Amino acid sequence: MGKTGGRGDFEWVYNDQPHTSRRREILAKYPEIKTLMGPDPQLKWVVSAMVLTQLLACYMVHTLSWKWIFFWAYAFGGCINHSLTLAIHDISHNVAFGNKLAKWNRWFAMWANLPIGVPYSASFKKYHIDHHRYLGGDKLDVDIPTDIEGWFFCTPARKVLWLFLQPLFYAIRPLVVNPKPLSLLEVQNAAVQVVVDLIIYQLWGLKPVVYLIAGSILCMGLHPISGHFIAEHYMFLKGHETYSYYGSLNMITFNVGYHMEHHDFPSIPGSKLPQVKRIAAEYYDNLPQHTSWTRVLWDFVFDDSIGPYARIKREYKIVKQG
């Protein structure tokens, strides 16, 4: 892909995000895409199988030595947990049970959250809405790194550290950039998570709890699957802020790689996004796209033109309700 040039600031633009106009244009030409919107009946079964697999793994690892706990957390459990965070991403758009059963989606997201080890789903839902509505929005889209991140993590060694610490930044950044009041759903999410963690600890000791939490941290940091964090919106080609990836890792990440299609049609489940691309192929085939998340991470670290500052930002005028 092309280079953006040396960066000392974000790429500020003064136009609206492209997804809104492209959505209207595609739907006008291919109204059958509307039939893909709505719940995915298979999602609840796939997610439940993954949760139960991790609970079984908790029993299986409780007698292992610590070195094997961390090995399996990185090589196996963390991959499932990262995939579950992407299931939660899908569920946040109400695709597990549909918009009419929004509460069911929220509680099901808490079920998907259990192997992650720390409460996540309710807070993610609260902020992910803004990411779609105000893509790149200054002080609104908390997916955008802070100025301190962009300024400091600018060398290969520092960028490797930044990738490793991504889970920490994703947890802290919303509290700094766009703090919101604690919701009842977040309290419930935390209570359910703590109770389940304590039950696992009482049954099998500390090692399974460490296995779950360490896997989540390690596989959301410096790990091939985590390439999607960078691939989705970092500006590898000047002026392009969203990119898709059509490789094999989509099979274990709920098609999060179809990210251009997802932002165009957020109410379509990940399982059906390949159909969007097939129907409206002329809108996606010629757009910049990634072929490898591992290559994305390599380029991010070693290409001087790419780093936390390589993001498009824009101002949104928010009308506050009186």
Side-chain angles (χ1 to χ4, degrees), residues 24-175:
R24 286 197 297 264
E25 188 175 338
I26 292 175
L27 286 177
K29 188 172 183 179
Y30 300 109
E32 62 268 29
I33 285 179
K34 291 181 181 179
T35 64
L36 302 176
M37 300 175 182
D40 175 1
Q42 300 301 317
L43 184 61
K44 56 183 175 292
W45 304 115
V46 174
V47 168
S48 294
M50 295 167 69
V51 172
L52 294 174
T53 296
Q54 280 292 71
L55 293 178
L56 176 61
C58 285
Y59 167 75
M60 296 179 69
V61 304
H62 83 282
T63 58
L64 296 181
S65 65
W66 282 107
K67 66 178 180 181
W68 288 109
I69 293 289
F70 287 102
F71 171 81
W72 288 113
Y74 185 81
F76 177 74
C79 298
I80 294 179
N81 284 4
H82 195 144
S83 185
L84 283 170
T85 67
L86 298 172
I88 290 170
H89 164 257
D90 239 18
I91 297 165
S92 73
H93 293 284
N94 293 337
V95 301
F97 296 98
N99 291 324
K100 293 182 179 179
L101 297 173
K103 277 289 186 182
W104 288 34
N105 288 281
R106 303 291 79 77
W107 283 100
F108 187 66
M110 292 185 199
W111 164 248
N113 195 147
L114 295 183
I116 296 170
V118 294
Y120 163 82
S121 63
S123 297
F124 175 81
K125 165 67 176 178
K126 180 169 70 175
Y127 284 100
H128 190 61
I129 294 172
D130 288 344
H131 173 62
H132 277 268
R133 185 177 297 159
Y134 308 117
L135 181 63
D138 185 38
K139 298 182 177 63
L140 293 169
D141 184 357
V142 298
D143 190 62
I144 302 279
T146 60
D147 279 299
I148 293 176
E149 291 171 73
W151 167 77
F152 184 78
F153 296 101
C154 57
T155 67
R158 292 180 185 181
K159 286 192 276 188
V160 168
L161 178 62
W162 185 83
L163 290 172
F164 184 77
L165 295 176
Q166 269 194 111
L168 178 65
F169 288 118
Y170 270 101
I172 294 177
R173 196 184 297 143
L175 306 178

Side-chain angles (χ1 to χ4, degrees), residues 108-300:
F108 187 66
M110 292 185 199
W111 164 248
N113 195 147
L114 295 183
I116 296 170
V118 294
Y120 163 82
S121 63
S123 297
F124 175 81
K125 165 67 176 178
K126 180 169 70 175
Y127 284 100
H128 190 61
I129 294 172
D130 288 344
H131 173 62
H132 277 268
R133 185 177 297 159
Y134 308 117
L135 181 63
D138 185 38
K139 298 182 177 63
L140 293 169
D141 184 357
V142 298
D143 190 62
I144 302 279
T146 60
D147 279 299
I148 293 176
E149 291 171 73
W151 167 77
F152 184 78
F153 296 101
C154 57
T155 67
R158 292 180 185 181
K159 286 192 276 188
V160 168
L161 178 62
W162 185 83
L163 290 172
F164 184 77
L165 295 176
Q166 269 194 111
L168 178 65
F169 288 118
Y170 270 101
I172 294 177
R173 196 184 297 143
L175 306 178
V176 175
V177 175
N178 187 16
K180 295 184 178 186
L182 189 69
S183 69
L184 176 60
L185 206 60
E186 287 174 289
V187 174
Q188 293 169 338
N189 187 189
V192 169
Q193 190 66 54
V194 169
V195 168
V196 171
D197 287 350
L198 288 173
I199 290 172
I200 292 173
Y201 174 76
Q202 289 295 322
L203 287 174
W204 301 307
L206 181 62
K207 288 180 178 178
V209 178
V210 172
Y211 161 80
L212 294 177
I213 296 176
S216 299
I217 294 172
L218 292 171
C219 282
M220 290 182 69
L222 195 58
H223 192 280
I225 297 177
S226 290
H228 79 86
F229 287 125
I230 307 301
E232 290 165 0
H233 296 293
Y234 282 78
M235 193 176 61
F236 283 72
L237 191 65
K238 187 174 178 65
H240 292 270
E241 61 185 313
T242 307
Y243 302 79
S244 284
Y245 155 83
Y246 301 119
S248 58
L249 287 178
N250 278 310
M251 293 188 292
I252 60 171
T253 55
F254 296 91
N255 282 331
V256 74
Y258 287 78
H259 215 68
M260 187 74 73
E261 294 84 350
H262 170 65
H263 271 264
D264 287 352
F265 301 100
S267 60
I268 294 180
S271 61
K272 298 179 181 178
L273 291 176
Q275 296 180 56
V276 174
K277 184 179 183 296
R278 284 196 295 270
I279 293 171
E282 70 271 26
Y283 286 92
Y284 299 109
D285 285 349
N286 296 321
L287 290 175
Q289 56 191 250
H290 294 291
T291 57
S292 167
W293 282 339
T294 304
R295 178 59 188 269
V296 163
L297 293 174
W298 179 273
D299 289 345
F300 179 83

